[in-house]
Amino acid sequence: MHPYVISFQSLGISDIDQVGGKNASLGEMISNLSETGVCVPGGFATTAQAYRDFLSNDGLDRRIEQALSTLNVEDVNALAKTGAEIRGWISAAPLPLKLEQAIREHYAQLAGEGDGSFAVRSSATAEDLPDASFAGQQETFLNIHGIDNVLHAIREVFASLYNDRAISYRVHTGYTGSHVALSAGVQRMVRSDLGASGVMFTLDTESGFPDVVFITSAYGLGEMVVQGSVNPDEFYVHKQKLAEGFPAVVRRSLGSKLQRMVFDTERAAGRSTRIEEVPLAIRNHFSLSDTEVLELARHAMAIEKHYGRPMDIEWGKDGQDGKLYILQARPETVQSQVAGIGAGKYRLNRRGEVLIEGRAIGQKIGIGPVRLVASSSEMDKVQAGDVLVTDMTDPNWEPVMKKASAIITNRGGRTCHAAIIARELGIPAIVGCTHATSALKENEIVTASCAEGDTGYVYRGSLPFDIVAPSELALPAIPIKLMLNVGNPMLAFEFAQMPSKGIGLARLEFVINNMIGIHPKAVLNFQALPEELRDAVLQKSQGYADPVAFYVEKLTEGVACLGAAFWPRPVIVRLSDFKSNEYRKLLGGEIFEPIEENPMIGFRGAGRYVAESFRDCFELECRAMKKVREEMGYTNVEIMVPFVRTVQEAREVVDELAKNGLRRGENGLRLIMMCEIPSNALLAEEFLEYFDGFSIGSNDLTQLTLGLDRDSALVANRFDERDAAVKRLLQMAISTCNRLGKYVGICGQGPSDHFDFAQWLMEQGIQTISLNPDTLLETWHKLGDVGKQE
């Protein structure tokens, strides 16, 4: 005789057919992971047999099957009517006496002497299998007190197997009602209403990169994060460095966290929870400390190791005891299924006018007319190919989500149920846009791009894009190493999965421009800024101790993200090479930057670093680089100095780096110099006394050799890296480096644009060529073909 109720501690993953994946997983973790520090609140579960016996009373199961046999789930109105009818039948049916008695007995043991607060959740027996995510398809009831309320909640959970979204979802994924049974899990609640909660994945949800733990967090109960009704904080932790004992938080993003769900102590109108505004004083701070982020990541790694697969985990921080608890764990069901398939990459041909931006879900591009939908009652407005725009999607919208070419929401984070379903359906979604429903107009054609990193952009009109199919041919052996030029750290996890030998050029100015946006002098002289500018700087630096800390930490995060993504392959980071006109575009730049007639050959590069007026700014960059290498352990990060005009300047900048704790050779530090001025090639041997090698910048070298402005359209047709004079200088630089046993590579645009130039460089003995990611595989194959011909 099968039992009707089983305690969590008596369950394991082998019991999935009895209590579903969610409840079986809770028991598995209690039994096997407690010694690793993973804390799971106790509870009990009703079994699939109890559910089936409940439905068999008075032929309820046959009535349900008959009602569904003629249902067209594409008809959302018919779906709503039938679903409501079935749920009414189940809610009105009494529980079998034997089942009710078993629930009462287990509840009495769990409640002990004092009546606690409990969560009642669903766990479908087909849920959380590796090829289907039933996440959020059934109901969850929180802060339930007393056995009578628990019994009522269990009946409501049973009825939720026939929510509109659950019926449609099972049809869409091929699971019929007769193959799915429901278990109700009753679990003691963690007081995260007084703390924080969220979701974490043991891989990057957008790229599938397996070496990070991705954590979302917001104040209050986790339903707000799961439902997508709050924009949470986000953290990435690098697994390898965390395992080595380093503080491996490589990226942070402060969410708005405008609201939180808390217990309703007055239980007004029968509610057990309520939603309230988050006080401004804590809203602008991260909801977790770095210590807590690292502890959660360790738990996630322990869970992933135990299950042997990527996992999707819900957690809560108890505001009373301060401890972190694991509330659910299930297999990740999207990226782990597509890994290695080699789907085509979407690439926008040109950017347009940005109407709105938010968090990108997936990496695709969708185009269509805007369809503004105020609530689920208007879902029938959505037609195939529409761009669905609404305040917030949740799994109730699944029946129409698959019709849309893209989904845009005001609210939501990248781990909410709507995001999970959008990924699973292969539809691009941009969530957390704050005001998409007012910024976008009904019927206007827009392009929703999730192919540009973490940020998703909605552009006006229909923009052209390509879907680039990856090459499936084996890569041939070639005598040089091919590396990547990577500007955006947000794309690092995707690019790291390409077969490159590392990063040959990472531009620090991209981090400053896109992740910071403030002139370094403005953070150093914050108190002296005009009030309006001071407020703008404070707004950007929320979540950090002060503007200087924000500047340094964001530099650190940008570089650490690159170092983590490509670990242990080398990552050559070029120190900032803004020109004065580019620095002026940053907040405060107009106050601190001169106006130069020709900034391209003005106050830039090494000359700026060693200038008395800029040394304090350069020190901020050095502080970040030192932290990345020494405190976080990314010794694969190498430093590259741009635009070194003279040998004296080379000596001065190397001394300045040493003063700031970045001494060449210490802890394996290599200093690379950009070879981009004719003097660098002409006096290569002298410059190489101070550096470990050259990275050739063919753009500036061509410009300065041929005496033309590369930004001028009037002479653009004469710009060519393959000019004989430029090649002569390149030969000098390459041969000198090779003769002295120094590193030599090229990171300019030329090899990406001209294959014959890449071939010539290989013939000259260049050691590495750093390419744009979209040309890596094609260039590799072509160079291999040349070798075969020889």
Side-chain angles (χ1 to χ4, degrees):
M1 189 73 177
H2 293 289
Y4 276 176
V5 181
I6 305 174
S7 296
F8 284 168
Q9 58 263 36
S10 300
L11 293 171
I13 204 64
S14 60
D15 298 308
I16 193 169
D17 60 332
Q18 287 196 78
V19 295
K22 192 179 298 179
N23 288 333
S25 180
L26 291 171
E28 180 77 10
M29 289 188 291
I30 289 173
S31 301
N32 296 281
L33 294 176
S34 297
E35 291 185 0
T36 70
V38 173
C39 296
V40 178
F44 61 85
T46 63
T47 63
Q49 188 63 47
Y51 177 76
R52 292 191 176 102
D53 288 354
F54 167 66
L55 286 189
S56 66
N57 273 350
D58 299 326
L60 183 56
D61 50 356
R62 292 191 298 274
R63 290 160 62 196
I64 293 172
E65 187 174 347
Q66 183 177 359
L68 293 177
S69 63
T70 58
L71 175 65
N72 175 15
V73 296
E74 302 299 328
D75 183 341
V76 293
N77 294 319
L79 175 63
K81 180 180 178 182
T82 302
E85 185 177 34
I86 292 173
R87 293 193 299 275
W89 296 340
I90 296 174
S91 296
L95 295 174
L97 182 60
K98 180 183 173 184
L99 172 58
E100 181 175 332
Q101 288 176 338
I103 293 170
R104 288 181 178 276
E105 290 173 5
H106 279 79
Y107 177 84
Q109 294 174 8
L110 186 61
E113 295 180 1
D115 181 28
S117 174
F118 299 92
V120 183
R121 296 188 175 94
S122 66
S123 182
T125 56
E127 184 178 16
D128 304 326
L129 300 179
D131 59 345
S133 172
F134 283 72
Q137 297 307 310
Q138 286 78 52
E139 297 293 347
T140 294
F141 299 90
L142 304 176
N143 191 25
I144 304 301
H145 289 262
I147 183 59
D148 291 337
N149 290 323
V150 167
L151 290 168
H152 175 74
I154 288 173
R155 223 167 24 249
E156 292 296 316
V157 163
F158 286 173
S160 72
L161 188 62
Y162 294 95
N163 278 338
D164 302 350
R165 62 183 185 261
I167 296 171
S168 174
Y169 189 86
R170 290 199 300 277
V171 170
H172 176 68
T173 52
Y175 288 87
T176 62
S178 59
H179 294 149
V180 182
L182 206 64
S183 165
V186 179
Q187 185 178 38
R188 183 174 290 279
M189 283 205 70
V190 170
R191 292 303 303 266
S192 52
D193 62 309
L194 304 175
S197 55
V199 181
M200 55 184 174
F201 289 81
T202 60
L203 46 60
D204 175 40
T205 54
E206 306 314 314
S207 68
F209 182 65
D211 295 341
V212 290
V213 177
F214 173 48
I215 300 171
T216 62
S217 172
Y219 297 114
L221 299 173
E223 293 304 295
M224 296 288 284
V225 176
V226 172
Q227 293 169 0
S229 53
V230 66
N231 297 336
D233 298 331
E234 296 179 353
F235 307 88
Y236 284 89
V237 180
H238 185 217
K239 294 176 184 175
Q240 286 91 329
K241 285 300 172 185
L242 180 62
E244 293 174 23
F246 288 97
V249 182
V250 297
R251 193 192 302 174
R252 303 169 186 81
S253 177
L254 186 70
S256 56
K257 307 184 297 295
L258 298 179
Q259 297 177 315
R260 62 184 173 189
M261 182 182 287
V262 298
F263 286 3
D264 190 341
T265 54
E266 298 178 0
R267 309 184 76 80
R271 293 194 311 260
S272 58
T273 61
R274 60 183 172 84
I275 295 172
E276 66 179 22
E277 298 295 310
V278 174
L280 189 62
I282 63 171
R283 187 187 303 169
N284 295 330
H285 294 276
F286 286 106
S287 49
L288 288 175
S289 68
D290 276 9
T291 301
E292 291 167 334
V293 170
L294 295 173
E295 181 181 342
L296 282 172
R298 290 187 192 97
H299 294 337
M301 289 170 64
I303 293 168
E304 180 183 51
K305 181 179 179 181
H306 179 75
Y307 283 96
R309 62 177 53 162
M311 298 295 288
D312 167 359
I313 303 160
E314 292 182 28
W315 62 271
K317 176 187 174 183
D318 193 306
Q320 292 182 329
D321 64 20
K323 293 181 180 178
L324 296 166
Y325 294 86
I326 300 302
L327 308 179
Q328 293 184 34
R330 50 182 168 259
E332 192 276 339
T333 56
V334 179
Q335 288 295 345
S336 57
Q337 298 301 302
V338 302
I341 292 176
K345 295 292 184 184
Y346 283 64
R347 185 174 64 195
L348 204 61
N349 289 344
R350 61 178 175 84
R351 302 192 78 200
E353 178 189 351
V354 177
L355 300 176
I356 199 82
E357 62 182 66
R359 298 287 185 194
I361 305 300
Q363 296 177 316
K364 293 184 177 180
I365 297 172
I367 298 174
V370 168
R371 191 67 58 224
L372 295 168
V373 182
S375 69
S376 57
S377 64
E378 298 180 356
M379 286 194 300
D380 56 356
K381 291 170 55 178
V382 179
Q383 302 300 312
D386 286 350
V387 173
L388 170 60
V389 180
T390 188
D391 178 57
M392 180 184 76
T393 59
D394 63 37
N396 280 313
W397 295 69
E398 192 273 339
V400 298
M401 287 170 73
K402 56 180 174 285
K403 293 182 180 181
S405 61
I407 299 164
I408 317 293
T409 72
N410 293 337
R411 296 188 285 162
R414 292 212 307 267
T415 58
C416 66
H417 283 311
I420 293 172
I421 302 305
R423 289 189 198 97
E424 202 164 87
L425 295 174
I427 298 169
I430 303 174
V431 301
C433 298
T434 68
H435 59 288
T437 48
S438 59
L440 303 177
K441 306 304 179 187
E442 183 80 1
N443 287 321
E444 72 174 321
I445 302 298
V446 297
T447 298
S449 171
C450 294
E452 301 170 71
D454 283 2
T455 302
Y457 299 94
V458 180
Y459 298 100
R460 187 185 303 281
S462 176
L463 299 182
F465 66 90
D466 295 321
I467 303 176
V468 182
S471 172
E472 297 180 359
L473 300 174
L475 292 169
I478 53 177
I480 60 172
K481 295 178 180 179
L482 296 186
M483 304 176 81
L484 293 177
N485 297 330
V486 179
N488 186 354
M490 305 300 180
L491 294 172
F493 297 150
E494 175 188 346
F495 293 153
Q497 298 174 83
M498 300 181 73
S500 75
K501 300 302 181 181
I503 296 179
L505 171 63
R507 302 175 179 90
L508 208 57
E509 57 267 22
F510 187 98
V511 177
I512 296 171
N513 193 53
N514 292 276
M515 295 174 65
I516 299 173
I518 309 171
H519 194 284
K521 282 287 185 184
V523 302
L524 289 166
N525 298 278
F526 171 70
Q527 296 298 337
L529 296 177
E531 183 178 357
E532 185 176 350
L533 182 56
R534 194 164 62 243
D535 290 344
V537 170
L538 270 181
Q539 181 71 24
K540 274 190 169 290
S541 57
Q542 285 178 351
Y544 294 81
D546 54 57
V548 169
F550 167 73
Y551 194 97
V552 174
E553 285 303 315
K554 281 301 175 188
L555 283 177
T556 302
E557 290 171 25
V559 176
C561 197
L562 296 168
F566 283 80
W567 177 263
R569 291 171 286 175
V571 173
I572 301 176
V573 178
R574 186 179 71 186
L575 300 171
S576 63
D577 193 24
F578 278 131
K579 275 67 81 176
S580 54
N581 61 321
E582 295 167 333
Y583 260 125
R584 284 179 65 83
K585 296 176 183 177
L586 299 173
L587 265 181
E590 293 185 356
I591 297 175
F592 298 105
E593 286 296 321
I595 297 176
E596 296 185 277
E597 290 296 328
N598 196 340
M600 190 71 77
I601 55 173
F603 192 40
R604 63 176 288 200
R608 182 181 273 263
Y609 307 155
V610 299
E612 193 60 40
S613 62
F614 198 79
R615 276 182 175 158
D616 54 351
C617 300
F618 183 58
E619 188 270 334
L620 299 181
E621 293 186 29
C622 293
R623 197 189 306 179
M625 298 297 289
K626 189 171 188 289
K627 180 174 182 178
V628 168
R629 284 183 48 82
E630 297 186 5
E631 293 182 31
M632 301 185 73
Y634 293 110
T635 51
N636 60 326
V637 171
E638 302 177 353
I639 294 176
M640 182 154 67
V641 180
F643 221 75
V644 186
R645 292 179 170 94
T646 66
V647 175
Q648 179 181 344
E649 206 167 76
R651 181 169 54 249
E652 290 174 357
V653 76
V654 169
D655 287 346
E656 196 66 30
L657 284 164
K659 288 176 186 176
N660 284 288
L662 295 168
R663 190 177 300 278
R664 178 183 168 203
E666 283 189 1
N667 201 19
L669 175 61
R670 286 206 313 177
L671 297 183
I672 309 298
M673 190 186 101
M674 287 284 287
C675 178
E676 54 190 339
I677 303 172
S679 63
N680 301 154
L682 293 168
L683 297 177
E685 193 161 340
E686 287 85 346
F687 278 104
L688 287 168
E689 290 181 21
Y690 299 96
F691 292 94
D692 296 294
F694 279 168
S695 182
I696 296 167
S698 57
N699 295 345
D700 271 333
L701 187 62
T702 302
Q703 169 178 247
L704 297 172
T705 301
L706 301 182
L708 54 81
D709 182 354
R710 70 184 188 187
D711 289 341
S712 171
L714 298 174
V715 294
N717 64 319
R718 297 183 181 275
F719 185 94
D720 193 338
E721 300 93 332
R722 297 165 296 179
D723 183 270
V726 179
K727 282 186 170 181
R728 179 71 60 84
L729 291 170
L730 290 172
Q731 285 174 323
M732 295 171 65
I734 294 169
S735 62
T736 303
C737 285
N738 284 329
R739 176 169 54 84
L740 297 175
K742 301 276 188 170
Y743 166 82
V744 61
I746 186 167
C747 60
Q749 184 67 26
S752 294
D753 291 344
H754 309 293
F755 171 71
D756 60 327
F757 186 46
Q759 181 182 342
W760 180 84
L761 288 164
M762 182 173 72
E763 293 166 352
Q764 299 307 307
I766 196 120
Q767 297 168 22
T768 71
I769 297 178
S770 194
L771 299 162
N772 296 337
D774 59 351
T775 65
L776 175 72
L777 297 179
E778 181 183 3
T779 303
W780 195 316
H781 283 296
K782 285 184 176 180
L783 291 174
D785 291 340
V786 170
K788 291 176 185 176
Q789 294 168 11
E790 295 175 351

